[in-house]
Amino acid sequence: MTRTIERLLLACGTEDAILPPTALFNEGWLLRLILEHLAEPEFIGEILAPADGGHWFSEGLLPSHFLARNRGDHLAETWTHADGVVGHFNVSWAGRSEVTLVTTATQFVIVEAKLGSGLSPGTIRAPFYNQAARNIACIAEVLHRAGVTPKSVARLGFFVVAPTSQIGKAVSRDLLSKVSVRATVEKRVAMYAGTANELEKRAWFESAFLPLLDAITIEALSWEDILDRIVRLTPKAAPALLDFYKQCLAFNRVPPPNTAARS
């Protein structure tokens, strides 16, 4: 069965394809290939590379502090899917890929991968609660549930990886500012004003979220810069990644950068 899946994916983008090329050439697979590459010893210390004893995982579920407490909770939201998780964590295999932090963790990084789209603007019940603020609030909740203080985790980060041409346009730097993130999460907490959970939500904001926001690195990274670094450190392995990225851009109709990663 796995050989059949491999054959179907390898045919993507060819005359024999029975799947659209974007089933393979997309941001999800691009990120997985890059994270797997960055897990090699040559890349220890790189911004998205696992620290010693760490690993990476794709499509992990992050808990929200705003999960439903009862049936019909009109303020609730669901768990958040993380394109990439890097660091010291465990994943539950009981039917769901729920992420929990190792209590001795020194690294916990969430990566959001983009090609032609930007950060989602909000949720159904909180249209202002954009994807950056939501992910960062979930990181705070992961640490909160583990009883881990942000200052004890040396490398905390939320990174959005996108083409150079999309950063500052589709991927807004304003949404990644700590001022914006704080205001957005505070507005989300304020939705509970006058409810039985108001004080608990406010306490979480003060004791769990704000310390996390103070400690975390929030940044937009370009695929080109990451690939450029890979080219310089592992030149023999890099051409295949560069070719995959070029096909991702082409099939997703994303304009190539003015200055491509060196080949």
Side-chain angles (χ1 to χ4, degrees):
M1 186 62 68
T2 56
R3 289 183 179 178
T4 301
I5 295 171
E6 179 183 19
R7 176 174 58 80
L8 294 176
L9 288 175
L10 288 175
C12 286
T14 72
E15 293 181 354
D16 299 322
I18 58 172
L19 296 171
T22 51
L24 176 62
F25 298 106
N26 58 54
E27 60 267 42
W29 278 111
L30 177 62
L31 179 63
R32 292 170 196 135
L33 291 172
I34 284 179
L35 291 180
E36 179 66 9
H37 201 84
L38 293 177
E40 295 296 323
E42 296 92 333
F43 295 96
I44 287 181
E46 293 293 317
I47 195 166
L48 297 184
D52 188 29
H55 63 120
W56 70 271
F57 188 80
S58 176
E59 297 296 331
L61 284 173
L62 305 179
S64 168
H65 193 68
F66 308 106
L67 296 174
R69 298 294 180 87
N70 50 65
R71 183 170 301 209
D73 186 346
H74 68 284
L75 296 177
E77 62 191 48
T78 59
W79 294 59
T80 292
H81 282 85
D83 289 341
V85 187
V86 183
H88 304 107
F89 59 92
N90 294 317
V91 179
S92 167
W93 297 108
R96 289 162 57 92
S97 302
E98 298 174 3
V99 173
T100 57
L101 192 67
V102 174
T103 56
T104 56
T106 60
Q107 181 190 34
F108 190 65
V109 169
I110 299 301
V111 187
E112 181 65 29
K114 299 293 184 183
L115 275 175
S117 63
L119 294 164
S120 63
T123 63
I124 293 176
R125 290 172 175 167
F128 61 88
Y129 195 40
N130 65 72
Q131 196 172 19
R134 189 165 72 251
N135 270 274
I136 294 163
C138 286
I139 295 172
E141 180 65 7
V142 170
L143 269 67
H144 178 64
R145 291 188 177 201
V148 174
T149 60
K151 288 185 178 180
S152 70
V153 184
R155 294 169 63 183
L156 280 170
F158 173 68
F159 298 100
V160 181
V161 188
T164 299
S165 62
Q166 302 296 302
I167 296 175
K169 296 178 181 178
V171 177
S172 169
R173 292 188 185 278
D174 290 341
L175 293 183
L176 297 177
S177 73
K178 291 192 176 184
V179 171
S180 172
V181 172
R182 173 175 176 150
T184 302
V185 177
E186 191 165 22
K187 186 175 180 180
R188 182 72 172 95
V189 169
M191 292 177 69
Y192 289 83
T195 72
N197 295 318
E198 178 181 2
L199 293 180
E200 183 265 339
K201 294 291 186 262
R202 174 57 61 178
W204 171 86
F205 180 79
E206 297 288 344
S207 65
F209 176 75
L210 289 182
L212 180 281
L213 187 63
D214 183 58
I216 196 170
T217 298
I218 308 169
E219 192 174 343
L221 306 174
S222 75
W223 295 113
E224 288 80 13
D225 285 346
I226 294 170
L227 288 167
D228 184 77
R229 185 67 173 164
I230 290 174
V231 167
R232 285 186 278 127
L233 291 179
T234 55
K236 291 183 179 179
L241 278 176
L242 289 171
D243 182 66
F244 189 89
Y245 180 55
K246 290 176 183 177
Q247 294 191 72
C248 284
L249 293 179
F251 288 124
N252 287 275
R253 299 182 181 181
V254 179
N258 294 328
T259 304
R262 289 195 297 270
S263 57

